Amino acid sequence: MSASSEQAGVGRGLDDRRWTVAERVAEAARRRFPADVLAVAVHGPLAHGDDDGGGDREVGMLVVTYRPGTGPPPATRRVDGVLVDLTVAAAEDYLGQARVLSPLWPLTADRYVTTRALHDPTGWLRTLRDEHLGRLARARPAEFSTAARQAWYRGSAAHARAARLAEWYETDQALLMLGEARLAAATVTGLLSRTYFRDPGDAVRRTGLAGADMTEVGLVLARQAEELTARGRPVDGTVDDLLSG
């Protein structure tokens, strides 16, 4: 096991098979692509170090390469009973993503801010974190409001579709769309409050939307529309507004 792997494993049980699998993936990636791999890390619950150790949790992994199109292909596989979601990205491409403030920012920021290295001899992961935090420090309030408005449209459309499906007694489809509306509304809340979440489940839990029904989600979306209007980013507008962005 490498020194970086040993550091990553501090504070965990040696019998945690998810860490064992993650370390095997890191070692194999470095061995098979020695000239391509710049860094390997885990993100999500394992990176936070307060995971419950349940073997049913997904292991999120990142392989950073020096150049685009090199290293292993991105993939999701179950390895020895552990689901591994492997993201592979070139260093400059991933730094570019970290500098973007998108409508999905509350669901993606954690990957840039909280990672735990399995291999990072140059300290690239610190650069990733600093780049993202620097972008947030430079962001203007209007940027978050604009992103929140875009997320609000997605939530409003999903909520309207869920309501229509419920009227047609398409219960299963209605529940799926309601779930999308809950998550979109949670991301709006995250953008308006500059709060990011670990994953979609964390987003709906922390915003109180996990068990929200059709009416409750509708009320949340209505309040969000009012707040966006107060911030100068109304969800309604004219044709000229639409064409001018």
Side-chain angles (χ1 to χ4, degrees), residues 17-197:
R17 58 195 174 97
R18 286 169 307 152
W19 272 113
T20 300
V21 169
E23 289 163 354
R24 285 174 53 201
V25 172
E27 293 292 344
R30 294 174 58 196
R31 184 173 63 253
R32 293 181 61 179
F33 306 94
D36 299 323
V37 174
L38 171 61
V40 185
V42 296
H43 55 77
L46 288 183
H48 281 274
D50 58 1
D51 185 64
D52 60 8
D56 59 339
R57 299 294 295 273
E58 176 183 292
V59 174
M61 295 194 66
L62 169 67
V63 172
V64 183
T65 61
Y66 290 98
R67 297 169 300 279
T70 60
T76 302
R77 292 290 189 278
R78 192 164 61 182
V79 179
D80 292 343
V82 175
L83 184 62
V84 180
D85 182 20
L86 182 66
T87 298
V88 180
E92 284 304 315
D93 291 346
Y94 208 65
L95 287 175
Q97 295 175 32
R99 300 183 189 111
V100 174
L101 185 60
S102 78
L104 292 177
W105 172 80
L107 302 178
T108 59
D110 192 65
R111 292 190 174 202
Y112 308 131
V113 177
T114 307
T115 55
R116 190 174 294 192
L118 292 169
H119 172 68
D120 187 21
T122 67
W124 184 88
L125 293 169
R126 289 193 299 273
T127 300
L128 175 70
R129 182 178 186 273
D130 292 345
E131 284 288 326
H132 187 69
L133 293 179
R135 175 65 178 91
L136 295 182
R138 297 189 301 272
R140 296 167 296 174
E143 293 182 78
F144 282 95
S145 297
T146 297
R149 183 181 61 183
Q150 295 172 4
W152 186 91
Y153 290 139
R154 188 173 67 252
S156 179
H159 181 262
R161 181 64 175 163
R164 182 66 60 85
L165 288 166
E167 291 176 357
W168 294 340
Y169 299 102
E170 296 286 352
T171 305
D172 290 342
Q173 294 182 58
L175 288 173
L176 287 173
M177 296 308 299
L178 180 59
E180 290 189 20
R182 288 170 178 157
L183 182 56
T187 61
V188 173
T189 296
L191 287 160
L192 293 178
S193 62
R194 297 197 180 198
T195 302
Y196 63 86
F197 311 105

